[in-house]
Short mmCIF file of all heavy atoms in Angstrom, two decimals:
data_model
loop_
_atom_site.label_atom_id
_atom_site.label_comp_id
_atom_site.label_asym_id
_atom_site.label_seq_id
_atom_site.Cartn_x
_atom_site.Cartn_y
_atom_site.Cartn_z
N GLY A 1 -29.16 -15.11 46.68
CA GLY A 1 -28.66 -16.49 46.69
C GLY A 1 -28.20 -17.00 45.35
O GLY A 1 -28.08 -18.22 45.16
N ASP A 2 -27.88 -16.11 44.39
CA ASP A 2 -27.46 -16.55 43.06
C ASP A 2 -25.95 -16.68 42.92
O ASP A 2 -25.45 -16.99 41.84
CB ASP A 2 -28.03 -15.63 41.98
CG ASP A 2 -27.44 -14.23 42.00
OD1 ASP A 2 -26.62 -13.91 42.88
OD2 ASP A 2 -27.81 -13.42 41.12
N GLY A 3 -25.21 -16.45 44.00
CA GLY A 3 -23.75 -16.56 43.96
C GLY A 3 -23.04 -15.31 43.47
O GLY A 3 -21.82 -15.30 43.40
N ARG A 4 -23.79 -14.25 43.15
CA ARG A 4 -23.21 -12.98 42.69
C ARG A 4 -23.70 -11.86 43.60
O ARG A 4 -24.85 -11.84 44.00
CB ARG A 4 -23.64 -12.69 41.25
CG ARG A 4 -23.15 -13.77 40.27
CD ARG A 4 -23.35 -13.37 38.84
NE ARG A 4 -22.59 -12.14 38.60
CZ ARG A 4 -22.94 -11.20 37.74
NH1 ARG A 4 -24.05 -11.33 37.04
NH2 ARG A 4 -22.22 -10.13 37.56
N GLU A 5 -22.80 -10.92 43.88
CA GLU A 5 -23.18 -9.80 44.73
C GLU A 5 -24.06 -8.80 44.00
O GLU A 5 -23.93 -8.61 42.78
CB GLU A 5 -21.94 -9.10 45.27
CG GLU A 5 -21.22 -9.92 46.31
CD GLU A 5 -20.33 -9.10 47.21
OE1 GLU A 5 -20.01 -7.94 46.88
OE2 GLU A 5 -19.97 -9.63 48.26
N GLU A 6 -24.95 -8.17 44.75
CA GLU A 6 -25.79 -7.08 44.28
C GLU A 6 -25.48 -5.84 45.13
O GLU A 6 -24.85 -5.94 46.18
CB GLU A 6 -27.29 -7.42 44.44
CG GLU A 6 -27.79 -8.54 43.58
CD GLU A 6 -27.55 -9.92 44.18
OE1 GLU A 6 -27.59 -10.08 45.40
OE2 GLU A 6 -27.30 -10.86 43.38
N LEU A 7 -25.94 -4.70 44.67
CA LEU A 7 -25.83 -3.45 45.41
C LEU A 7 -27.22 -3.05 45.87
O LEU A 7 -28.16 -2.98 45.06
CB LEU A 7 -25.25 -2.35 44.52
CG LEU A 7 -25.29 -0.92 45.09
CD1 LEU A 7 -24.39 -0.80 46.33
CD2 LEU A 7 -24.87 0.09 44.02
N VAL A 8 -27.38 -2.79 47.17
CA VAL A 8 -28.64 -2.33 47.73
C VAL A 8 -28.43 -0.91 48.24
O VAL A 8 -27.40 -0.61 48.85
CB VAL A 8 -29.12 -3.26 48.87
CG1 VAL A 8 -30.31 -2.67 49.62
CG2 VAL A 8 -29.48 -4.63 48.32
N PHE A 9 -29.41 -0.03 48.00
CA PHE A 9 -29.29 1.35 48.47
C PHE A 9 -30.66 1.98 48.65
O PHE A 9 -31.65 1.55 48.05
CB PHE A 9 -28.46 2.19 47.49
CG PHE A 9 -29.05 2.31 46.12
CD1 PHE A 9 -29.88 3.37 45.79
CD2 PHE A 9 -28.78 1.35 45.14
CE1 PHE A 9 -30.43 3.47 44.51
CE2 PHE A 9 -29.33 1.45 43.87
CZ PHE A 9 -30.16 2.52 43.55
N TRP A 10 -30.71 3.00 49.49
CA TRP A 10 -31.92 3.79 49.70
C TRP A 10 -31.93 5.01 48.79
O TRP A 10 -30.89 5.60 48.53
CB TRP A 10 -31.96 4.35 51.13
CG TRP A 10 -32.22 3.38 52.21
CD1 TRP A 10 -31.31 2.87 53.10
CD2 TRP A 10 -33.47 2.82 52.59
NE1 TRP A 10 -31.92 2.04 53.98
CE2 TRP A 10 -33.26 1.99 53.69
CE3 TRP A 10 -34.77 2.94 52.07
CZ2 TRP A 10 -34.28 1.27 54.30
CZ3 TRP A 10 -35.79 2.24 52.69
CH2 TRP A 10 -35.54 1.42 53.78
N ASN A 11 -33.11 5.41 48.34
CA ASN A 11 -33.34 6.76 47.86
C ASN A 11 -34.21 7.39 48.94
O ASN A 11 -35.41 7.12 49.03
CB ASN A 11 -34.05 6.81 46.51
CG ASN A 11 -34.24 8.24 46.06
OD1 ASN A 11 -34.85 9.04 46.77
ND2 ASN A 11 -33.71 8.57 44.90
N THR A 12 -33.58 8.21 49.78
CA THR A 12 -34.27 8.71 50.97
C THR A 12 -35.30 9.78 50.67
O THR A 12 -36.22 9.99 51.46
CB THR A 12 -33.25 9.23 52.01
OG1 THR A 12 -32.44 10.24 51.39
CG2 THR A 12 -32.38 8.12 52.53
N ASN A 13 -35.20 10.46 49.54
CA ASN A 13 -36.20 11.48 49.20
C ASN A 13 -37.58 10.88 48.97
O ASN A 13 -38.59 11.52 49.26
CB ASN A 13 -35.79 12.27 47.96
CG ASN A 13 -34.71 13.28 48.25
OD1 ASN A 13 -34.36 13.53 49.39
ND2 ASN A 13 -34.17 13.87 47.20
N VAL A 14 -37.63 9.67 48.43
CA VAL A 14 -38.91 9.05 48.10
C VAL A 14 -39.16 7.76 48.90
O VAL A 14 -40.12 7.03 48.63
CB VAL A 14 -39.03 8.77 46.59
CG1 VAL A 14 -39.11 10.08 45.82
CG2 VAL A 14 -37.88 7.91 46.09
N CYS A 15 -38.30 7.49 49.90
CA CYS A 15 -38.46 6.34 50.80
C CYS A 15 -38.50 5.01 50.07
O CYS A 15 -39.33 4.14 50.36
CB CYS A 15 -39.69 6.50 51.68
SG CYS A 15 -39.61 7.95 52.74
N LYS A 16 -37.61 4.84 49.09
CA LYS A 16 -37.55 3.59 48.33
C LYS A 16 -36.23 2.87 48.58
O LYS A 16 -35.18 3.50 48.66
CB LYS A 16 -37.68 3.88 46.83
CG LYS A 16 -39.03 4.39 46.40
CD LYS A 16 -39.08 4.62 44.91
CE LYS A 16 -40.44 5.13 44.47
NZ LYS A 16 -40.49 5.32 43.01
N LEU A 17 -36.31 1.56 48.67
CA LEU A 17 -35.13 0.70 48.78
C LEU A 17 -34.98 -0.05 47.47
O LEU A 17 -35.93 -0.68 47.00
CB LEU A 17 -35.28 -0.28 49.94
CG LEU A 17 -34.07 -1.17 50.22
CD1 LEU A 17 -32.87 -0.33 50.69
CD2 LEU A 17 -34.41 -2.21 51.28
N PHE A 18 -33.79 0.02 46.86
CA PHE A 18 -33.52 -0.59 45.57
C PHE A 18 -32.44 -1.66 45.67
O PHE A 18 -31.57 -1.60 46.55
CB PHE A 18 -33.02 0.46 44.57
CG PHE A 18 -34.04 1.46 44.14
CD1 PHE A 18 -34.11 2.70 44.74
CD2 PHE A 18 -34.94 1.16 43.12
CE1 PHE A 18 -35.04 3.64 44.33
CE2 PHE A 18 -35.87 2.08 42.71
CZ PHE A 18 -35.93 3.33 43.32
N ILE A 19 -32.47 -2.60 44.72
CA ILE A 19 -31.40 -3.56 44.53
C ILE A 19 -30.98 -3.49 43.07
O ILE A 19 -31.82 -3.38 42.17
CB ILE A 19 -31.82 -4.99 44.94
CG1 ILE A 19 -30.61 -5.93 44.92
CG2 ILE A 19 -32.96 -5.51 44.07
CD1 ILE A 19 -30.84 -7.24 45.66
N ALA A 20 -29.67 -3.51 42.85
CA ALA A 20 -29.13 -3.43 41.49
C ALA A 20 -28.24 -4.64 41.24
O ALA A 20 -27.36 -4.96 42.05
CB ALA A 20 -28.33 -2.15 41.31
N GLU A 21 -28.47 -5.30 40.12
CA GLU A 21 -27.59 -6.37 39.67
C GLU A 21 -26.32 -5.72 39.12
O GLU A 21 -26.40 -4.75 38.36
CB GLU A 21 -28.26 -7.20 38.57
CG GLU A 21 -29.54 -7.89 39.01
CD GLU A 21 -29.32 -9.02 40.01
OE1 GLU A 21 -28.19 -9.57 40.06
OE2 GLU A 21 -30.26 -9.35 40.72
N ILE A 22 -25.18 -6.22 39.50
CA ILE A 22 -23.91 -5.63 39.06
C ILE A 22 -23.54 -6.23 37.71
O ILE A 22 -23.41 -7.45 37.58
CB ILE A 22 -22.80 -5.88 40.10
CG1 ILE A 22 -23.23 -5.27 41.44
CG2 ILE A 22 -21.48 -5.28 39.62
CD1 ILE A 22 -22.35 -5.64 42.60
N PRO A 23 -23.35 -5.39 36.69
CA PRO A 23 -23.02 -5.91 35.36
C PRO A 23 -21.63 -6.53 35.33
O PRO A 23 -20.79 -6.27 36.19
CB PRO A 23 -23.06 -4.67 34.46
CG PRO A 23 -23.57 -3.56 35.27
CD PRO A 23 -23.50 -3.94 36.70
N GLU A 24 -21.38 -7.35 34.31
CA GLU A 24 -20.07 -7.97 34.14
C GLU A 24 -18.96 -6.93 34.08
O GLU A 24 -17.89 -7.12 34.64
CB GLU A 24 -20.04 -8.83 32.86
CG GLU A 24 -20.90 -10.07 32.93
CD GLU A 24 -20.38 -11.08 33.95
OE1 GLU A 24 -19.16 -11.19 34.13
OE2 GLU A 24 -21.23 -11.73 34.58
#
């Protein structure tokens, strides 16, 4: 909800879900 898009992805080998802030 900060007005900027993020990237969400799985690392399926270790069953983790990540979110990454997109740099300028």
Side-chain angles (χ1 to χ4, degrees):
D2 68 357
R4 298 190 60 211
E5 289 201 344
E6 294 84 34
L7 170 66
V8 170
F9 62 92
W10 288 105
N11 181 303
T12 56
N13 284 351
V14 292
C15 298
K16 292 181 180 181
L17 184 65
F18 291 98
I19 189 164
E21 299 291 337
I22 302 170
E24 291 294 326

